Amino acid sequence: MKRTLLLAALLVIASLVLSAPIVAQDRADLLIWADSTRAPALRPILEAFSAEYGVTAEVQEIAMGDIRANLPVAGPAGEGPDIIVAAHDWIGELVLNGSVVPIDLGDEVAAQFTPQSLNLFTYNGELYGVPYTAENVAFIRNTELVPDAPQTWDEVRAITEELVSSGASQYGYIIQTTDAYHFYPVQSAFGGYLFGRDDAGNYDVNDVGIDSEGSIAALTWIEEMARAGYIPPAVDYDVMHTLFETGEAAMMITGPWALNRIRTSGVPYEISNIPEGPGGPGTPFIGGQGFMISAYGENQLLAESFLIDYMATTESMRVMYDVDPRPPSFIPVLESLDDPDLAAFQAAGEVGVPQPSVPGMSSVWGAWANGIQFVIQGDLDAVTAFTDSAAQVREIIAAGGVAVAPGDSSMGDVPPEDGPQMVSIPGTVNTPMGCPGDWQPDCADAQLAYNANSNVWMGAFELPAGSYEYKVALNGTWDENYGGRADRDGANVALELAEDTTVTFIYSNDTHWVADSVNSRIVSAPGSYQDEIGCSGDWAPECLRSWLQDPDGDGVYEFSTDAIPAGDYEAKAAINMTWDENYGAEGTRDGANIPFSVPSDGTVVVFSFDSASNVLTITVGG
């Protein structure tokens, strides 16, 4: 094991300790952010590292999605990690906002990783992560119902028709209703694509292929299956697997993360390559997870040396695999395994392509998946659905892909001249935010950023457990301030945190309501009308021009507008500005879109969300 970098890093830390005044040290020398799956694997590794080299090391358990969102916020405030466990497709966004730094593994260490996994973590010619797993989906079938692997999608349909007509299974092939990732192997088999590639193999975001002939042909195949009753209209991950486990579905596409569930179900199964189509083999995305170094950490040398000298070993990588069995990127561990299922997944991935890591992918996924959902649910035909999805993706790319980073006013858009030029959160939260004292409306560390697409001010801050109070103040003074009921000079807002929490604050200058993500749910109403009210595109949960607000605190969130032109539209309710949690008709999670019609321009439309039942009601005409 190479120790050169590690010894150098330890010498640097030792010199800093000897030269610094004696103060209480709350932060570990090496801090890692990881989710609940990876954190348990990392703790014994860090304990051994800490004991061997006399440095303090800690892993904080943070949800995977929150790691990416919080790094640009907590990092500049000195509260972020040195290393994050991340998905490879975050790289574009994190590099763009300067949150991660490149890492040089050296030829000897790099040779121990699969070239495919290193390629995933390479962006603009530089490596930004140490991979530990690279994975892809494959085709899985119930061998009692489907003894032989279908070679083409025409065969999949024929088998499905036979199974359903004979009563052997309620469905044949099953697919999740809103999931572009699992649909892409079908799309590619028909000659469709997401983004084109340049001569160097890089994704060309200006070449959007969602509305290409092949992509529409693939969605038309799904449309025909759904219209024939072979694909049900509301299937999520759990429903898909339940149908497969009970024999009600015989074929599906999924990844190695599902192996434990499939194996324990007792269903006889076999894993094979994605069936071919008119465009050739079904091509899955190759995704990876690994370790990235924060650009904000003070111990970057220690972080790099830990990853190269301590993580890039058979012992450490085997621990990661044992906790969460996924195809290892580290060749010595990969070659030590004797698992025919993992071998089958790897065989299916031989024709795979890297999952795009371009900025704005989280929004791209949503726009793309909406088109699939509308077709399966019967709301739109394939041509219309993917034409709309492609238009939305082009708007996302044209807008730069990445939303304004909350919690950093320097990254905000220019606010309107007729409104405040500064919005802050003064209160007892100020000291933990990094201010020299509390209740300081002019503190730079307490400022929110203006988001032009949403027409709100917003910011996210990592706050320790405790009891707090705050208000919102405009232009750095107390001259104009509001409490939690949108009342000028109103009462302070109480904030209780049982544990260290990243809190998002949002303020609308139109209504003067300030909300936080602990006391309130951040509810928006994405739909086909949003571009009419000023959003950059439709079906955008992150656009808070459709923000439903609850200033009286009764749990009913409302938003009204008279800016929607006459026409027919659809909408849903989304929580926390993503599609991760959304509610459709009758309050059903991931449920059907809610239709509404506006009879004439200028008609008032009211969106009302009951947080107790998760029901979104749309009232036209006030």
Side-chain angles (χ1 to χ4, degrees), residues 174 176 235-244 252-254:
I174 195 79
Q176 297 177 66
V235 176
D236 59 16
Y237 179 85
D238 285 331
V239 170
M240 181 179 73
H241 279 275
T242 298
L243 290 172
F244 184 79
M252 64 179 178
I253 290 175
T254 192

Side-chain angles (χ1 to χ4, degrees), residues 431-456:
T431 299
M433 286 178 175
C435 299
D438 289 333
W439 298 104
Q440 297 190 356
D442 59 343
C443 174
D445 291 326
Q447 302 298 317
L448 305 184
Y450 177 69
N451 185 311
N453 185 50
S454 293
N455 191 32
V456 298

Side-chain angles (χ1 to χ4, degrees), residues 320-358:
M320 297 296 295
Y321 171 81
D322 288 341
V323 170
D324 183 32
R326 301 189 185 205
S329 298
F330 198 64
I331 294 174
V333 176
L334 181 63
E335 292 179 343
S336 71
L337 301 176
D338 183 18
D339 189 327
D341 288 339
L342 289 184
F345 274 111
Q346 285 201 301
E350 288 180 358
V351 296
V353 296
Q355 184 174 315
S357 58
V358 302

